[in-house]
Amino acid sequence: MDTPTRRLRGPWGTPFAAGLLIVVAAIISLAAGVNPFGAGSHHGLGFSPEGPTALIVSDLFMVAGALVAGLPIVRQAVRALAARVIAIDLLVSIAAIGALIIGEYWEAAAVTFLFAIGHALEARTLDRTRSALAELVAVAPDVAVVLRDGQQVEIPAAEVQPGETVLVKNGAKVPVDGIVVGGNGALDEASITGESLPVEKADGDQVFAGTVSGGGFLQVRATGIGADTTLARIIQRVEEAQDAKARTQSFLERFSTGYTPAVLVLALITGLVTGDVVLALTLLVIGCPGALVISIPVSIVAGIGRGAKDGILIKGGEHLETSARITAVALDKTGTLTEGRPHLTDVIVLDPTLGRAEVLGWAARAEASSEHPLARPLIEAAAAEHLPTDGLPESTDPVPGKGIVATLDGRRVAVGNLALLAAESVTDVRGAGAEVDRLAGRGRTPMIVALDGRVIGVVAVADRLRTDAREMIGRLHARGVQKVVMLTGDDRRVAVAVAEEVGVDEVHAELLPEDKLAVVTQLQRDGHTVAMVGDGVNDAPALAAADIGVAMGAAGTGVAIETADIALMKDDLLKLPQAIGLARGTVAVMRQNIAIALITVIALLAGVFAGGVTMAVGMLVHEGSVLLVIVNAMRLLRRRPARGDLRARVPSRARAPQTVGAA
């Protein structure tokens, strides 16, 4: 619990104690009729007989306030010097010590107090922006209920053994990764995928540690425990990502390393030339680039934290910056734009003596013993229409690259392409060639069905497009992506039909894995920053070569979480433009913060030389800029609507995609 006492023991303890001492000093001076904020000569508002004594006591409290706030700063400066780093703390330390020596007690107290507040704000903000990681750690379950010797036993979650049956009751957290082996229920998977709606689970479904049962009763066979769970991998990835530095951050740290000595030299020269020690000390304070240094890390941590809450894992600051520059997205077709599972789309009857049921029935029975991926949709469709699919053919003869020939009830059935008909010496194709061309042109895979040497019909299957594929591509364009490219090993006609339906800009079909790599590298040579979305198997070379590799539906896939630059935990296409939008927004905040910091420092330095900006006023404005930078970065933590936010801006893409053959 975040109580006031606990907060005071944390980063706010030092500024609170220093502030209290400064307030006491001010009250004593005011009670004696003395201006507590005057210069070292202490020109009073008027003197009472108690004035000189009150002034001494007030000065003691003011010095005490400066020491309380300043000693931690001096310690930090000394540690940095020991590591051969000239840090910002050194500027403040020298300025505060110098102010104490020349009797500017109020200035010393004000500078150290304000700097201590700045440190506390930075620490509090980084804690706040790391809230995604804290929330993930909080959802990690502590206990599990397992079945041992037929008894329910409650044990620490880390002591569950692989293969044990874990019981998940209504309202309980799932303590392990596993597979449902009994029961059914709904789980809240927001901590893993960012999905706000409960997901129904039944036999064979995968579940993740840290998700919460919203109803029902599940028996889960444990497959991942402790550090091997998806939740543990996400926590580790977010922690590493928030600590990883962006290129801009690394540059600013190098800049600060050279900038700090430059300010020291400028202050020394100014003091020697003008003989004005106060002016030199003021320059040290004003020159502190505190807002500049905090501007990048606070933005990165906030952006990555926001992504983690939404089920978007970004590997680190450098990848966040690169993602903001993406101008081309390469998409694998199967399993990305499509569901990756073919289904029956057409049954064309070419023999007038037969009906649809006979054509589909013969085709499904012939494919019953086939391991070809296109056999399954035929068998499933026949079963759904209550056609007989039981029993295996008397004989089966797969013909590689052509189809399959089977003997059923003493009759010869061939299912395949035109080349298979030629091999079977079927001459009367009954217009099957025209149907094949028509169906292929619509993005479907046709198969001719022949019975006893005569064509009886054509069946066609297709991989079903994802319902949000077109919307995703529209959102990518709305986010500033110039080119969306589809890469596939499929037939060119199928690829073009899919591309026209979803609105991609360019199609590369009939590709081998090395061809996909060639397309990605060509896009990079054309000046694009490329993101590649694929399944990580046959797309591995292209994923490795792309500027950003994206794994979709990475929940439960340890390899994807570890290797992808961006891992989208949920199998949701709209997470891709959301991730790019988050990256662009984060980099925009970085730039705004850098501008705020630089403008503040330049304006204050000009004000010092022009006169009118004192050490305390400069530090107050400086800390104000730090606060402004922090507040600006924390805007990234606000949840933005994941769906529907860009529909009005999604363009209709009427033109046909550019088609390119094998690379």
Side-chain angles (χ1 to χ4, degrees):
M1 184 180 293
D2 189 23
T3 63
T5 302
R6 186 172 178 178
R7 284 196 296 269
L8 289 178
R9 289 175 182 170
W12 290 105
T14 296
F16 177 81
L20 188 61
L21 290 168
I22 293 170
V23 169
V24 170
I27 291 173
I28 293 173
S29 291
L30 289 172
V34 179
N35 178 8
F37 311 119
S41 57
H42 298 291
H43 296 295
L45 298 172
F47 273 95
S48 66
E50 297 84 7
T53 303
L55 182 60
I56 293 171
V57 175
S58 173
D59 285 347
L60 288 174
F61 273 98
M62 199 70 78
V63 170
L67 292 175
V68 168
L71 285 176
I73 300 170
V74 173
R75 283 197 296 268
Q76 284 292 107
V78 171
R79 289 195 193 104
L81 282 174
R84 297 183 180 179
V85 175
I86 301 177
I88 298 169
D89 303 78
L90 183 63
L91 299 182
V92 178
S93 299
I94 295 173
I97 293 170
L100 288 174
I101 291 172
I102 64 174
E104 298 286 350
Y105 305 136
W106 154 245
E107 298 284 2
V111 166
T112 53
F113 171 67
L114 289 170
F115 196 74
I117 287 179
H119 266 310
L121 280 172
E122 291 174 20
R124 182 74 181 107
T125 303
L126 286 173
D127 287 343
R128 172 73 180 88
T129 52
R130 289 182 186 273
S131 60
L133 183 60
E135 290 175 14
L136 286 173
V137 173
V139 302
D142 298 321
V143 297
V145 178
V146 299
L147 275 180
R148 289 182 176 174
D149 299 324
Q151 301 294 318
Q152 296 186 24
V153 182
E154 186 174 292
I155 62 174
E159 294 182 9
V160 177
Q161 299 298 314
E164 280 195 300
T165 299
V166 178
L167 306 182
V168 182
K169 303 174 183 179
N170 183 22
K173 292 179 182 178
V174 180
V176 296
D177 282 6
I179 304 296
V180 177
V181 294
N184 56 71
L187 295 182
D188 179 357
E189 296 187 334
S191 59
I192 302 296
T193 65
E195 173 60 61
S196 58
L197 298 177
V199 180
E200 293 293 331
K201 299 292 182 179
D203 282 4
D205 289 338
Q206 189 173 21
V207 298
F208 307 109
T211 56
V212 181
S213 173
F217 176 75
L218 295 174
Q219 298 177 49
V220 176
R221 186 180 75 250
T223 58
I225 297 105
D228 292 329
T229 63
T230 299
L231 178 64
R233 286 191 290 265
I234 293 173
I235 291 172
Q236 182 182 6
R237 169 51 58 85
V238 174
E239 193 170 37
E240 291 171 351
Q242 290 186 333
D243 289 336
K245 295 177 181 178
R247 278 177 287 192
T248 303
Q249 182 181 355
S250 299
F251 166 76
L252 285 179
E253 288 181 353
R254 291 194 301 272
F255 168 78
S256 177
T257 301
Y259 173 84
T260 303
V263 171
L264 283 170
V265 172
L266 175 64
L268 179 61
I269 293 173
T270 301
L272 292 174
V273 171
T274 64
D276 190 339
V277 177
V278 174
L279 176 62
L281 294 175
T282 303
L283 280 176
L284 288 178
V285 172
I286 299 305
C288 293
L292 191 63
V293 173
I294 191 65
S295 62
I296 304 304
V298 74
S299 303
I300 290 172
V301 170
I304 290 175
R306 175 72 267 163
K309 287 184 178 181
D310 293 337
I312 301 168
L313 292 187
I314 303 174
K315 192 171 184 178
E318 183 175 350
H319 299 290
L320 189 70
E321 278 192 294
T322 303
S323 298
R325 301 196 305 272
I326 290 172
T327 57
V329 174
L331 299 164
D332 181 43
K333 179 182 77 69
T334 305
T336 302
L337 292 174
T338 64
E339 295 176 353
R341 185 175 180 180
H343 68 287
L344 182 72
T345 57
D346 300 89
V347 178
I348 310 297
V349 180
L350 296 177
D351 187 335
T353 65
L354 300 176
R356 169 192 165 89
E358 285 88 354
V359 173
L360 177 57
W362 285 114
R365 290 183 64 195
E367 295 280 5
S369 61
S370 172
E371 296 180 355
H372 195 279
L374 299 184
R376 177 55 52 188
L378 296 181
I379 297 169
E380 289 177 348
E385 296 182 22
H386 306 292
L387 301 177
T389 57
D390 297 336
L392 296 176
E394 291 99 84
S395 66
T396 302
D397 182 18
V399 184
K402 297 179 182 179
I404 192 171
V405 178
T407 302
L408 294 163
D409 302 331
R411 307 188 72 174
R412 189 172 179 83
V413 182
V415 182
N417 54 25
L418 288 169
L420 180 64
L421 295 188
E424 288 290 295
S425 301
V426 178
T427 55
D428 183 9
V429 296
R430 298 175 183 252
E435 288 294 339
V436 166
D437 289 339
R438 182 181 68 83
L439 292 169
R442 296 178 64 185
R444 297 166 187 177
T445 302
M447 293 172 282
I448 305 168
V449 184
L451 178 64
D452 292 333
R454 74 181 195 280
V455 172
I456 61 172
V458 179
V459 293
V461 299
D463 194 358
R464 186 181 284 115
L465 279 174
R466 292 178 185 261
T467 56
D468 50 3
R470 185 175 186 86
E471 182 181 355
M472 179 269 290
I473 291 170
R475 289 194 186 190
L476 286 175
H477 284 116
R479 295 290 191 194
V481 175
Q482 300 168 12
K483 183 178 286 191
V484 181
V485 180
M486 187 176 81
L487 310 180
T488 180
D490 279 357
D491 178 83
R492 187 176 294 106
R493 292 174 298 179
V494 174
V496 169
V498 170
E500 288 178 342
E501 191 166 348
V502 300
V504 300
D505 302 295
E506 190 173 295
V507 181
H508 295 259
E510 301 174 2
L511 302 182
L512 297 173
E514 56 267 28
D515 298 327
K516 294 182 180 182
L517 170 61
V519 174
V520 168
T521 54
Q522 183 58 52
L523 286 169
Q524 291 170 325
R525 283 196 293 269
D526 292 341
H528 289 288
T529 300
V530 182
M532 173 70 191
V533 186
D535 58 21
V537 183
N538 62 343
D539 302 320
L543 281 166
D547 298 284
I548 293 293
V550 181
M552 195 169 67
T557 308
V559 174
I561 294 175
E562 294 300 323
T563 58
D565 300 321
I566 297 179
L568 308 179
M569 303 309 296
K570 188 184 174 202
D571 197 14
D572 181 357
L573 286 176
L574 299 185
K575 291 287 185 184
L576 179 59
Q578 185 182 350
I580 294 175
L582 174 65
R584 292 188 192 279
T586 303
V587 170
V589 167
M590 285 185 198
R591 291 171 179 164
Q592 292 162 11
N593 285 349
I594 291 171
I596 291 169
L598 289 176
I599 290 170
T600 301
V601 170
I602 292 169
L604 286 175
L605 287 174
V608 170
F609 284 110
V613 176
T614 64
M615 189 186 301
V617 170
M619 199 65 194
L620 184 62
V621 174
H622 172 269
E623 294 304 331
S625 70
V626 170
L627 180 60
L628 183 58
V629 161
I630 287 171
V631 170
N632 191 40
M634 291 184 73
R635 291 189 301 115
L636 293 166
L637 294 173
R638 294 203 308 259
R639 180 180 288 276
R640 291 172 173 78
R643 293 178 177 266
D645 57 343
L646 290 170
R647 280 191 179 129
R649 296 167 54 196
V650 172
S652 65
R653 306 189 65 78
R655 65 182 180 85
Q658 179 184 353
T659 308
V660 184

